[in-house]
Amino acid sequence: MPTADTLERFIARVEENAHAEAVEEFYTANASLQENQEAPRVGRDAAIARERAMLAKATSISSTCVRPVFVNGDKVVVRWIFHFEWKDGTATHMEELAYQRWEGERIAEETFFYDPAQRAPIRSRP
């Protein structure tokens, strides 16, 4: 179960848009991450690489935790709002729930729940 301080530090890293660093600092080596009902992706290093690849495609990102954060033992639910401005002139605005299972001070499993239609980029510049 994460301490309140650890959870706040994790949220702060994501809100700083330090997504890859948050994965490196707060996930177990064999963490499992899953999008909706897709097959889980396993491994912190792969998750870091995926975050860096995503960040490289963006000109700007806004990451906001919508409180309250729900904690029950080793289970945590965080509501996030993300806004991405992409280098191709499109934008993506997403709201999701992240359902996490922590092992001590690190995330071991995480499932993201969101409407997949949100992932379709919209033209943000003429």
Coordinates of all heavy atoms in Angstrom, one line a residue, residues 12-70:
A12 N 2.3 14.2 -8.7 CA 3.0 15.4 -9.1 C 3.9 15.2 -10.3 O 4.0 16.0 -11.2 CB 3.9 15.9 -7.9
R13 N 4.6 14.0 -10.4 CA 5.4 13.7 -11.5 C 4.6 13.7 -12.8 O 5.0 14.2 -13.8 CB 6.1 12.4 -11.3 CG 7.2 12.4 -10.2 CD 8.3 13.5 -10.5 NE 9.4 12.8 -11.3 CZ 10.3 13.5 -12.0 NH1 10.2 14.8 -12.1 NH2 11.2 12.8 -12.6
V14 N 3.4 13.0 -12.7 CA 2.6 13.0 -13.9 C 2.1 14.4 -14.3 O 2.1 14.7 -15.5 CB 1.4 12.0 -13.7 CG1 0.5 12.0 -14.9 CG2 1.9 10.6 -13.5
E15 N 1.7 15.1 -13.3 CA 1.2 16.5 -13.6 C 2.3 17.4 -14.1 O 2.0 18.4 -14.8 CB 0.5 17.1 -12.4 CG -0.8 16.5 -12.1 CD -1.6 17.2 -11.0 OE1 -1.0 17.7 -10.0 OE2 -2.8 17.2 -11.1
E16 N 3.6 17.1 -13.8 CA 4.7 17.8 -14.4 C 5.0 17.3 -15.8 O 5.9 17.8 -16.5 CB 6.0 17.5 -13.6 CG 6.0 18.1 -12.2 CD 7.1 17.5 -11.3 OE1 7.8 16.6 -11.8 OE2 7.1 17.9 -10.1
N17 N 4.2 16.4 -16.3 CA 4.4 15.8 -17.6 C 5.7 15.0 -17.7 O 6.2 14.7 -18.8 CB 4.3 16.8 -18.8 CG 2.9 17.4 -18.8 OD1 1.9 16.7 -18.6 ND2 2.8 18.7 -18.9
A18 N 6.2 14.5 -16.6 CA 7.3 13.6 -16.5 C 6.8 12.2 -16.5 O 7.0 11.4 -15.6 CB 8.2 13.9 -15.3
H19 N 6.1 11.8 -17.6 CA 5.5 10.5 -17.6 C 6.5 9.3 -17.6 O 6.3 8.4 -16.8 CB 4.6 10.4 -18.9 CG 3.4 11.4 -18.9 ND1 2.2 11.0 -18.6 CD2 3.4 12.7 -19.1 CE1 1.4 12.0 -18.7 NE2 2.1 13.1 -18.9
A20 N 7.5 9.4 -18.4 CA 8.5 8.3 -18.4 C 9.2 8.2 -17.1 O 9.4 7.1 -16.6 CB 9.5 8.5 -19.6
E21 N 9.5 9.4 -16.5 CA 10.2 9.4 -15.2 C 9.3 8.8 -14.1 O 9.7 8.1 -13.2 CB 10.6 10.8 -14.8 CG 11.7 11.3 -15.8 CD 11.2 11.9 -17.1 OE1 9.9 11.9 -17.3 OE2 12.0 12.4 -17.8
A22 N 8.0 9.1 -14.2 CA 7.0 8.5 -13.2 C 7.0 7.0 -13.3 O 7.0 6.3 -12.3 CB 5.6 9.1 -13.4
V23 N 7.0 6.5 -14.5 CA 7.0 5.0 -14.7 C 8.3 4.5 -14.1 O 8.3 3.5 -13.3 CB 6.9 4.6 -16.2 CG1 7.1 3.1 -16.3 CG2 5.5 5.0 -16.7
E24 N 9.4 5.1 -14.4 CA 10.7 4.6 -13.9 C 10.8 4.6 -12.3 O 11.3 3.7 -11.7 CB 11.8 5.5 -14.4 CG 13.2 5.0 -14.1 CD 14.3 5.8 -14.8 OE1 14.0 6.8 -15.4 OE2 15.4 5.3 -14.9
E25 N 10.2 5.7 -11.7 CA 10.3 5.9 -10.3 C 9.3 5.1 -9.5 O 9.5 4.8 -8.3 CB 10.2 7.4 -10.0 CG 11.3 8.2 -10.5 CD 11.1 9.7 -10.4 OE1 10.2 10.1 -9.6 OE2 11.7 10.4 -11.2
F26 N 8.1 4.8 -10.1 CA 7.0 4.4 -9.3 C 6.4 3.0 -9.7 O 5.4 2.6 -9.2 CB 5.9 5.4 -9.2 CG 6.3 6.7 -8.5 CD1 6.7 7.8 -9.2 CD2 6.2 6.7 -7.1 CE1 7.1 8.9 -8.5 CE2 6.6 7.9 -6.4 CZ 7.0 9.0 -7.2
Y27 N 7.0 2.3 -10.7 CA 6.4 1.1 -11.2 C 7.4 0.0 -10.9 O 8.6 0.2 -10.9 CB 6.2 1.1 -12.7 CG 5.0 1.9 -13.0 CD1 5.0 3.3 -12.9 CD2 3.8 1.3 -13.5 CE1 3.9 4.1 -13.2 CE2 2.7 2.1 -13.9 CZ 2.7 3.5 -13.7 OH 1.6 4.3 -14.0
T28 N 6.9 -1.2 -10.6 CA 7.8 -2.4 -10.4 C 8.5 -2.8 -11.7 O 8.0 -2.4 -12.8 CB 7.0 -3.6 -9.9 OG1 6.1 -4.0 -10.8 CG2 6.3 -3.3 -8.5
A29 N 9.6 -3.5 -11.7 CA 10.3 -3.9 -12.9 C 9.4 -4.7 -13.8 O 9.5 -4.6 -15.0 CB 11.5 -4.7 -12.5
N30 N 8.5 -5.5 -13.3 CA 7.7 -6.4 -14.1 C 6.2 -5.9 -14.1 O 5.3 -6.7 -14.2 CB 7.8 -7.8 -13.7 CG 7.3 -8.1 -12.3 OD1 7.2 -7.1 -11.5 ND2 7.1 -9.3 -11.9
A31 N 6.0 -4.6 -14.0 CA 4.7 -4.0 -13.9 C 3.9 -4.4 -15.2 O 4.4 -4.5 -16.3 CB 4.7 -2.5 -13.8
S32 N 2.6 -4.5 -15.0 CA 1.6 -4.9 -16.0 C 0.7 -3.7 -16.3 O 0.1 -3.2 -15.3 CB 0.8 -6.1 -15.6 OG -0.3 -6.3 -16.5
L33 N 0.7 -3.2 -17.5 CA -0.2 -2.0 -17.9 C -1.2 -2.5 -18.9 O -0.8 -3.2 -19.9 CB 0.6 -0.9 -18.4 CG 1.5 -0.2 -17.3 CD1 2.8 -0.9 -17.2 CD2 1.7 1.3 -17.7
Q34 N -2.4 -2.1 -18.8 CA -3.5 -2.6 -19.7 C -4.4 -1.4 -20.1 O -4.8 -0.6 -19.2 CB -4.3 -3.7 -19.0 CG -5.3 -4.3 -19.9 CD -6.0 -5.5 -19.2 OE1 -5.9 -5.7 -18.0 NE2 -6.8 -6.2 -20.0
E35 N -4.7 -1.3 -21.4 CA -5.6 -0.3 -21.9 C -7.0 -1.0 -22.1 O -7.1 -1.9 -22.9 CB -5.2 0.2 -23.2 CG -3.7 0.7 -23.3 CD -3.6 2.1 -22.8 OE1 -4.5 2.9 -22.9 OE2 -2.5 2.4 -22.4
N36 N -8.0 -0.5 -21.4 CA -9.3 -1.1 -21.4 C -9.3 -2.6 -21.4 O -8.7 -3.2 -20.5 CB -10.1 -0.6 -22.7 CG -10.5 0.9 -22.5 OD1 -10.8 1.3 -21.4 ND2 -10.5 1.6 -23.6
Q37 N -9.7 -3.3 -22.4 CA -9.7 -4.8 -22.4 C -8.6 -5.4 -23.3 O -8.7 -6.6 -23.6 CB -11.1 -5.3 -22.9 CG -12.2 -4.9 -22.0 CD -12.0 -5.3 -20.5 OE1 -11.7 -6.4 -20.2 NE2 -12.2 -4.3 -19.6
E38 N -7.7 -4.5 -23.7 CA -6.6 -5.0 -24.5 C -5.7 -6.0 -23.7 O -5.7 -6.0 -22.5 CB -5.7 -3.9 -25.1 CG -6.5 -3.0 -26.1 CD -5.7 -1.8 -26.6 OE1 -4.5 -1.8 -26.3 OE2 -6.3 -1.0 -27.2
A39 N -4.8 -6.7 -24.4 CA -3.9 -7.5 -23.6 C -2.9 -6.7 -22.8 O -2.5 -5.6 -23.3 CB -3.1 -8.4 -24.6
P40 N -2.5 -7.1 -21.6 CA -1.6 -6.3 -20.8 C -0.2 -6.3 -21.5 O 0.2 -7.2 -22.1 CB -1.5 -7.1 -19.5 CG -2.7 -8.0 -19.5 CD -3.1 -8.3 -20.9
R41 N 0.5 -5.1 -21.2 CA 1.9 -5.0 -21.6 C 2.7 -5.1 -20.3 O 2.3 -4.5 -19.3 CB 2.1 -3.6 -22.2 CG 1.3 -3.4 -23.5 CD 1.6 -2.0 -24.1 NE 1.5 -0.9 -23.1 CZ 0.4 -0.3 -22.8 NH1 -0.8 -0.6 -23.4 NH2 0.4 0.8 -22.0
V42 N 3.7 -6.0 -20.4 CA 4.4 -6.3 -19.1 C 5.9 -5.7 -19.2 O 6.5 -5.9 -20.3 CB 4.5 -7.8 -18.9 CG1 5.3 -8.1 -17.6 CG2 3.0 -8.3 -18.7
G43 N 6.3 -5.1 -18.2 CA 7.7 -4.6 -18.1 C 7.8 -3.1 -18.0 O 7.3 -2.4 -18.9
R44 N 8.5 -2.6 -17.0 CA 8.7 -1.2 -16.8 C 9.5 -0.6 -17.9 O 9.2 0.5 -18.4 CB 9.4 -1.0 -15.4 CG 9.7 0.5 -15.1 CD 10.3 0.7 -13.8 NE 11.5 -0.1 -13.6 CZ 11.9 -0.6 -12.5 NH1 11.2 -0.4 -11.4 NH2 13.0 -1.3 -12.4
D45 N 10.6 -1.3 -18.3 CA 11.4 -0.7 -19.4 C 10.6 -0.5 -20.7 O 10.8 0.6 -21.3 CB 12.6 -1.6 -19.7 CG 13.6 -1.6 -18.5 OD1 13.5 -0.7 -17.6 OD2 14.5 -2.5 -18.5
A46 N 9.8 -1.4 -21.0 CA 8.9 -1.3 -22.2 C 7.9 -0.1 -22.0 O 7.7 0.7 -23.0 CB 8.2 -2.5 -22.5
A47 N 7.4 0.1 -20.8 CA 6.5 1.2 -20.6 C 7.2 2.5 -20.7 O 6.6 3.5 -21.2 CB 5.8 1.0 -19.2
I48 N 8.4 2.6 -20.2 CA 9.2 3.8 -20.3 C 9.4 4.2 -21.8 O 9.2 5.3 -22.2 CB 10.5 3.7 -19.5 CG1 10.3 3.6 -18.0 CG2 11.5 4.9 -19.8 CD1 11.5 3.2 -17.2
A49 N 9.8 3.2 -22.5 CA 10.1 3.4 -24.0 C 8.8 3.9 -24.7 O 8.8 4.8 -25.5 CB 10.6 2.1 -24.6
R50 N 7.7 3.3 -24.3 CA 6.4 3.7 -24.9 C 6.0 5.1 -24.6 O 5.6 5.9 -25.4 CB 5.3 2.7 -24.4 CG 3.9 3.0 -25.0 CD 3.0 1.9 -24.5 NE 1.6 2.3 -24.8 CZ 0.9 1.8 -25.8 NH1 1.4 0.9 -26.6 NH2 -0.4 2.2 -26.0
E51 N 6.3 5.5 -23.3 CA 6.0 6.9 -22.9 C 6.9 7.9 -23.6 O 6.4 8.9 -24.1 CB 6.2 7.0 -21.4 CG 5.2 6.3 -20.5 CD 3.7 6.9 -20.7 OE1 3.6 8.1 -20.9 OE2 2.8 6.1 -20.7
R52 N 8.2 7.5 -23.7 CA 9.1 8.4 -24.5 C 8.7 8.6 -25.9 O 8.8 9.7 -26.5 CB 10.5 7.9 -24.3 CG 11.0 8.1 -22.9 CD 12.5 7.8 -22.8 NE 13.0 8.2 -21.4 CZ 13.7 7.4 -20.7 NH1 14.2 6.3 -21.1 NH2 14.1 7.9 -19.5
A53 N 8.3 7.5 -26.5 CA 7.9 7.6 -28.0 C 6.6 8.5 -28.1 O 6.6 9.2 -29.1 CB 7.6 6.2 -28.5
M54 N 5.7 8.3 -27.2 CA 4.5 9.2 -27.2 C 4.9 10.6 -27.0 O 4.4 11.5 -27.7 CB 3.5 8.7 -26.2 CG 2.2 9.5 -26.1 SD 2.2 10.9 -24.9 CE 2.7 10.1 -23.4
L55 N 5.7 10.9 -26.0 CA 6.1 12.3 -25.7 C 6.8 12.9 -26.9 O 6.7 14.1 -27.2 CB 7.0 12.3 -24.5 CG 6.3 11.9 -23.2 CD1 7.3 11.7 -22.1 CD2 5.2 12.9 -22.8
A56 N 7.6 12.1 -27.7 CA 8.3 12.7 -28.8 C 7.4 13.1 -29.9 O 7.8 14.0 -30.7 CB 9.3 11.6 -29.3
K57 N 6.2 12.7 -29.9 CA 5.2 13.1 -31.0 C 4.5 14.3 -30.6 O 3.7 14.8 -31.4 CB 4.2 11.9 -31.2 CG 4.9 10.7 -31.8 CD 3.8 9.6 -31.9 CE 4.5 8.3 -32.3 NZ 3.5 7.2 -32.4
A58 N 4.6 14.8 -29.4 CA 3.8 15.9 -28.9 C 4.6 17.2 -28.9 O 5.8 17.2 -28.6 CB 3.3 15.6 -27.5
T59 N 3.9 18.3 -29.1 CA 4.5 19.6 -28.9 C 4.2 20.1 -27.5 O 4.9 20.9 -27.0 CB 4.0 20.6 -30.0 OG1 2.6 20.7 -29.9 CG2 4.4 20.3 -31.4
S60 N 3.0 19.7 -27.0 CA 2.7 20.1 -25.6 C 1.7 19.1 -25.0 O 0.9 18.4 -25.8 CB 2.1 21.5 -25.5 OG 0.8 21.5 -26.1
I61 N 1.8 18.9 -23.7 CA 0.9 18.0 -23.0 C 0.4 18.7 -21.7 O 1.2 19.4 -21.1 CB 1.7 16.7 -22.6 CG1 2.2 16.0 -23.9 CG2 0.8 15.8 -21.8 CD1 3.1 14.8 -23.6
S62 N -0.8 18.4 -21.4 CA -1.3 18.9 -20.1 C -1.9 17.6 -19.4 O -2.7 16.9 -20.0 CB -2.4 19.9 -20.3 OG -3.1 20.1 -19.1
S63 N -1.4 17.4 -18.2 CA -1.9 16.2 -17.4 C -2.4 16.7 -16.1 O -1.7 17.4 -15.3 CB -0.7 15.3 -17.1 OG 0.0 15.0 -18.3
T64 N -3.7 16.4 -15.8 CA -4.3 16.8 -14.6 C -5.0 15.7 -13.8 O -5.8 14.9 -14.4 CB -5.4 17.9 -14.9 OG1 -4.8 18.9 -15.7 CG2 -6.0 18.5 -13.7
C65 N -4.7 15.6 -12.5 CA -5.4 14.6 -11.6 C -6.7 15.3 -11.2 O -6.6 16.5 -10.7 CB -4.5 14.3 -10.5 SG -5.3 13.3 -9.2
V66 N -7.8 14.6 -11.3 CA -9.0 15.2 -10.8 C -9.3 14.5 -9.5 O -9.4 13.2 -9.4 CB -10.2 14.9 -11.8 CG1 -11.5 15.4 -11.3 CG2 -9.9 15.5 -13.2
R67 N -9.3 15.2 -8.4 CA -9.5 14.7 -7.1 C -10.9 14.5 -6.7 O -11.8 15.2 -7.3 CB -8.7 15.5 -6.1 CG -7.2 15.5 -6.4 CD -6.4 16.3 -5.5 NE -5.1 16.3 -5.9 CZ -4.2 15.4 -5.5 NH1 -4.5 14.4 -4.6 NH2 -2.9 15.5 -5.8
P68 N -11.3 13.6 -5.8 CA -10.4 12.9 -4.9 C -9.8 11.6 -5.6 O -10.3 11.1 -6.6 CB -11.3 12.4 -3.8 CG -12.6 12.2 -4.4 CD -12.7 13.3 -5.5
V69 N -8.6 11.2 -5.0 CA -8.0 9.9 -5.4 C -8.5 8.9 -4.4 O -8.6 9.1 -3.2 CB -6.5 10.0 -5.3 CG1 -5.8 8.7 -5.6 CG2 -6.0 11.1 -6.3
F70 N -9.0 7.7 -4.9 CA -9.5 6.7 -4.0 C -8.5 5.7 -3.7 O -7.8 5.1 -4.6 CB -10.7 6.1 -4.7 CG -11.8 7.1 -5.0 CD1 -12.0 7.7 -6.2 CD2 -12.7 7.4 -3.9 CE1 -13.0 8.6 -6.4 CE2 -13.7 8.3 -4.1 CZ -13.9 8.9 -5.4

